[in-house]
Amino acid sequence: MTHLQAGLSPETLEKARLELNENPDTLHQDIQEVRDMVITRPDIGFLRTDDAFILRFLRARKFHHFEAFRLLAQYFEYRQQNLDMFKSFKATDPGIKQALKDGFPGGLANLDHYGRKILVLFAANWDQSRYTLVDILRAILLSLEAMIEDPELQVNGFVLIIDWSNFTFKQASKLTPSMLRLAIEGLQVKIYKLPTFWASHVCLI
């Protein structure tokens, strides 16, 4: 085990080896393979290329180097294309703060039996008078940014449950095609494709 795998339980280390093809003997080489591809996309500002950061994307793509790099590029490209979303990107931002207070997202204290973090969204809780859908998306992305720091969650992933009951027509009218596209693109980069097996565990109810 290398220092980059610190924080993983023996069970999760074995899961990473069997399911994600993670090999401590080649870990630094795998990371460098991805880092070497950065020069192929001079149009993107890669603000982080440290070992621990790149490792997240390798785990997301089961250590397929090119696919991990593509995801890394998508991550920073999304930020470049939506600069306004990431201004004041912190929990103290008024819109994000209100969305977080209303449970966007809420997290259960216990993990599921696969070790995944369970996130819950009650769509009807959205108070349109205090914050926007963009604020909700920013709150979700900020929360995921914080949680993905945990190496256990990098391996095990998340379950996202959205409860649409009592969601009103007035609220639904704000779900414009452009807003939905923005959300889908953002969440694909953050969770649905980070890692890929998280996608199959997203539940919409």
Side-chain angles (χ1 to χ4, degrees), residues 20-203:
L20 305 185
N21 306 308
E22 185 166 324
N23 182 350
D25 295 331
T26 61
L27 203 53
H28 289 283
Q29 180 182 340
D30 292 326
I31 291 169
Q32 191 58 46
E33 290 268 358
V34 174
R35 187 182 289 117
D36 287 344
M37 297 182 197
V38 167
I39 61 171
T40 67
R41 292 297 306 270
D43 56 310
I44 296 176
F46 291 87
L47 302 181
R48 282 190 65 181
T49 58
D50 55 276
D51 289 357
F53 191 72
I54 290 177
L55 179 56
R56 301 178 193 179
F57 296 86
L58 281 164
R59 286 173 171 160
R61 286 294 181 265
K62 299 186 178 182
F63 280 76
H64 294 295
H65 299 157
F66 181 69
E67 292 303 316
F69 172 70
R70 283 184 59 190
L71 187 59
L72 178 68
Q74 289 170 6
Y75 175 91
F76 285 114
E77 189 171 36
Y78 181 79
R79 284 173 168 261
Q80 283 186 192
Q81 292 174 348
N82 301 284
L83 291 174
D84 288 343
M85 275 189 60
F86 296 97
K87 291 179 181 177
S88 187
F89 191 56
K90 51 190 177 183
T92 55
D93 175 85
I96 293 178
K97 184 177 181 179
Q98 292 295 338
L100 289 171
K101 284 179 64 176
D102 281 359
F104 293 104
L108 300 190
N110 297 323
L111 305 175
D112 74 0
H113 61 287
Y114 293 112
R116 299 172 302 190
K117 181 71 176 178
I118 303 171
L119 303 177
V120 183
L121 303 179
F122 294 94
N125 284 356
W126 173 30
D127 185 343
Q128 300 176 70
S129 67
R130 294 190 297 138
Y131 50 91
T132 67
L133 272 172
V134 173
D135 290 325
I136 292 176
L137 177 59
R138 294 173 74 222
I140 293 170
L141 296 181
L142 181 64
S143 299
L144 291 169
E145 286 283 338
M147 288 184 284
I148 202 60
E149 295 281 348
D150 184 345
E152 288 277 331
L153 293 180
Q154 293 173 23
V155 175
N156 292 319
F158 297 86
V159 179
L160 175 61
I161 301 173
I162 303 178
D163 185 349
W164 293 100
S165 59
N166 301 316
F167 193 65
T168 66
F169 178 78
K170 182 179 180 181
Q171 289 171 317
S173 67
K174 302 294 184 180
L175 298 175
T176 63
S178 60
M179 182 63 228
L180 289 172
R181 183 170 60 254
L182 184 70
I184 290 170
E185 289 175 354
L187 292 173
Q188 280 182 334
V189 171
K190 301 289 180 174
I191 57 171
Y192 294 160
K193 295 185 178 179
L194 181 56
T196 50
F197 58 79
W198 295 356
S200 63
H201 303 314
V202 174
C203 307

